[in-house]
Amino acid sequence: MMIDTLVHHHRTILRSANRPFKRYFLSKHRLENRFSIISGQRGVGKTTAMIQYIHSFTDDDILNTAALYVPVDHFLMVGRSLYETAQEFVEYGGQLLCLDEIHKYPGWSGELKSMYDSFPDLKLIVSGSSALGILKGSHDLSRRAVTYQMTGLSLREFIALKYQINLPAIDMADILENHDRHSLEITGNLEDQGLKILPVFEQYLRYGYFPYFLEHPEEYTYFCTLEQGLHTTIESDLPAIHPGLSGTGIQKLKRLLAAIARSAPFTPDMKRLKQIIDIGDERTLKTYLVHLDAGKAITCLQKANKSIRGLEKPEKIYLNNPNQAFAICDPQQVNPGTLRELFFICMVRENHPVTIPSNGDFQVDGTHIFEVGGKGKTFKQIKDLPDSYLAVDGIEHGMGARIPLWLFGFLY
C-alpha cells in the first residue's frame, strides 16, 4: 500500500528535520483553521515549521498515524494523485495532512478543492513558494484556505538561533514609546554573553536572514545558495505557477532582476527598463515585476495614500532582503544606505504595511513617518511632520524620536 511507504518516509523526515528552535511564525499563527497555506520564498523554513507543527499535533509521538507529511515533488508521488493519497489516509484514520511544495504538483488547485470538500474531518496544511497562483487558482481556493506568509529570520531570531540567547519580541508601539529601556535590556543581555549588538547586527545583515546559515560556515557558500535559490525561483517555481512563462520570458526576468540589483532602490523608469530587457509592452513589464515580487526576489512599494489597482507601477523597488544584496551584487560595493532601508522594510513589513510618503523614507501603518540613516542623520527632512521618527544605524541607544535601527529587528 502506498500509504505505508509514505508513512515510513514521514517518520524518517520527522526524526531528521525537527529543530529545537521554534520560529515566531508558529506562535503568531496557530494554524487552527481546517485549510492553511504557508507561502514564502525558498529557505525561510516552511518545511521545518510544518514538521514542528506535526510534532505539536502528535505530542512528539512519531509513531502517531494521525498526521502525515508528504513532499509532493518526491518520486514516491509520481503517478499518484493527491486526492487518492488523502482518501487512503482518511480511510486509515488520518486527521492532519501536510503537503509540501504544492505549487510543483500539476493540477493542485482542483485536487485541493476536491479534498477539502470531500473530507470534512481532514485538516490540510500546504506550503508553496508563492501563494499568488494558489489564491487566484481556477477553483477559487481563497474562499476555503487561510494563507500565511512566512518570512526570513528577524534579528531577534538570528540571535536566538546562533547564540542561544532568547529575547522577547517587542511590538511597534512599545518600541516607539520605550526604545531606550528595551535597548538597555537587550544590550545588557548580550554583554553578559560577551557580545555587542552592533557587530551582531552586521553579521545578520550579511548572512542572518535564512535559517540555514548555520549549515554554511563560509559566507561564500551561503551566498551561492541564495543565488541558486533565486535561479530556481525564476526557472522552476514561477513557471510552475505561471505556465505561460517561456524560456524567453525566464531570461527577461533574470535580466530585469539583474538591472534592479545594480541600482536598487530606485523609482522605476519604465521606459528604460523596457529597453534593458527588450520588451515593448509596459503591461508585460509590470507583470514581470509582479512575478518577481511574488517570488520574493524583489520588494515593490507603493506610494502612500494611493489605491492599488491591478498592475500599478511601484513607487520604489528594492531587493527582497539584505543577505540577497551580498549574494547577487559585489559584496564590496553593497551600499550601506540601501542595506539600512532594506533591513527596516524586512522587519516592519511582517506585521505592518509600509509605503513611500511624500516626505521621509517610509510610512508605516498609514501614520508613522520614518527616516532611515547613519549616525549623522538629522530631522531636517521630517522636522515639521507629526508622528515622525529617525531609525539610526551605528548607535546602541537612542533618545526621544531617535531610535536605534537594529531595535526594529525585535518586532518579531
Side-chain angles (χ1 to χ4, degrees):
M1 292 182 293
M2 173 60 71
I3 200 70
D4 291 342
T5 306
L6 289 174
V7 167
H8 176 74
H9 180 72
H10 157 91
R11 289 171 179 169
T12 301
I13 294 295
L14 256 62
R15 289 192 196 96
S16 62
N18 191 30
R19 301 288 185 272
F21 172 72
K22 299 294 192 295
R23 293 291 305 278
Y24 171 82
F25 175 86
L26 286 175
S27 62
K28 177 185 176 184
H29 306 298
R30 300 189 182 278
L31 309 181
E32 294 175 345
N33 42 288
R34 187 158 74 86
F35 186 3
S36 300
I37 297 172
I38 303 174
S39 70
Q41 71 191 112
R42 287 175 163 273
V44 295
K46 300 185 296 296
T47 298
T48 300
M50 294 174 80
I51 296 301
Q52 289 177 338
Y53 184 87
I54 291 173
H55 275 280
S56 175
F57 187 85
T58 60
D59 294 323
D60 290 318
D61 180 7
I62 64 171
L63 298 179
N64 191 318
T65 57
L68 180 65
Y69 167 82
V70 179
V72 300
D73 57 344
H74 196 280
F75 76 92
L76 289 173
M77 293 301 295
V78 174
R80 174 89 175 178
S81 80
L82 293 180
Y83 185 88
E84 291 172 350
T85 301
Q87 183 177 38
E88 187 175 349
F89 180 53
V90 169
E91 289 172 353
Y92 279 84
Q95 301 171 24
L96 169 65
L97 182 60
C98 295
L99 304 171
D100 207 0
E101 297 294 300
I102 192 66
H103 63 283
K104 292 186 176 181
Y105 184 88
W108 42 259
S109 60
E111 293 210 36
L112 286 175
K113 175 185 178 295
S114 296
M115 290 158 59
Y116 179 89
D117 294 342
S118 300
F119 312 120
D121 295 326
L122 179 65
K123 183 181 178 73
L124 291 168
I125 299 178
V126 305
S127 82
S129 293
S130 171
L132 186 65
I134 293 174
L135 288 181
K136 294 184 178 179
S138 60
H139 294 85
D140 196 15
L141 293 177
S142 61
R143 292 184 299 172
R144 294 169 171 80
V146 177
T147 303
Y148 303 96
Q149 179 67 47
M150 191 170 190
T151 57
L153 296 172
S154 65
L155 173 61
R156 183 188 71 86
E157 292 179 308
F158 169 73
I159 291 171
L161 185 56
K162 181 168 185 178
Y163 296 107
Q164 292 78 55
I165 301 175
N166 294 298
L167 300 165
I170 312 168
D171 65 34
M172 177 66 79
D174 203 5
I175 286 180
L176 300 184
E177 184 70 23
N178 303 301
H179 61 85
D180 48 356
R181 175 170 60 83
H182 288 301
S183 66
L184 280 171
E185 291 175 354
I186 293 167
T187 54
N189 272 288
L190 292 181
E191 287 167 3
D192 287 344
Q193 304 297 320
L195 298 168
K196 299 288 286 185
I197 186 60
L198 294 182
V200 171
F201 181 40
E202 290 179 4
Q203 292 171 1
Y204 172 83
L205 292 176
R206 293 182 68 89
Y207 61 80
Y209 188 72
F210 291 93
Y212 61 78
F213 73 87
L214 288 174
E215 301 170 18
H216 299 278
E218 297 293 331
E219 278 189 0
Y220 172 75
T221 61
Y222 174 75
F223 295 155
C224 284
T225 63
L226 264 63
E227 183 182 9
Q228 290 165 5
L230 286 170
H231 280 292
T232 303
T233 294
I234 294 173
E235 295 169 359
S236 176
D237 295 344
L238 288 176
I241 297 168
H242 307 284
L245 273 177
S246 64
T248 301
I250 290 169
Q251 292 306 311
K252 290 182 184 295
L253 281 174
K254 289 184 177 181
R255 287 165 60 186
L256 179 57
L257 178 59
I260 291 170
R262 285 193 296 269
S263 52
F266 68 102
T267 300
D269 180 337
M270 305 302 273
K271 182 177 180 180
R272 176 173 169 269
L273 285 177
K274 285 193 297 180
Q275 292 174 342
I276 289 174
I277 64 173
D278 190 27
I279 59 172
D281 179 12
E282 185 166 308
R283 183 178 180 84
T284 300
L285 174 57
K286 290 178 180 178
T287 299
Y288 284 173
L289 291 173
V290 168
H291 288 342
L292 290 176
D293 187 78
K296 308 306 173 189
I298 63 173
T299 296
C300 295
L301 295 184
Q302 299 294 333
K303 192 170 184 178
N305 304 316
K306 183 176 182 180
S307 62
I308 301 176
R309 303 185 308 274
L311 294 175
E312 195 73 58
K313 172 188 171 183
E315 184 68 17
K316 271 192 176 182
I317 302 176
Y318 290 81
L319 292 177
N320 179 266
N321 62 79
N323 295 178
Q324 194 181 66
F326 289 99
I328 62 177
C329 304
D330 182 346
Q332 303 302 317
Q333 297 181 5
V334 175
N335 186 287
T338 299
L339 280 183
R340 293 166 185 151
E341 293 185 19
L342 194 44
F343 168 78
F344 183 86
I345 295 168
C346 282
M347 299 300 99
V348 174
R349 70 186 175 196
E350 172 73 11
N351 295 310
H352 306 271
V354 182
T355 54
I356 304 297
S358 299
N359 295 293
D361 289 325
F362 305 107
Q363 185 176 77
V364 177
D365 292 330
T367 55
H368 310 308
I369 301 296
F370 289 91
E371 187 76 11
V372 180
K375 282 184 179 181
K377 196 67 175 179
T378 70
F379 285 90
K380 180 179 179 181
Q381 292 172 280
I382 55 174
K383 63 179 180 178
D384 297 323
L385 299 178
D387 202 11
S388 58
Y389 304 86
L390 294 182
V392 182
D393 192 16
I395 63 172
E396 289 189 343
H397 311 290
M399 181 180 295
R402 185 179 170 88
I403 304 171
L405 175 63
W406 62 264
L407 192 55
F408 292 94
F410 282 74
L411 282 169
Y412 72 94

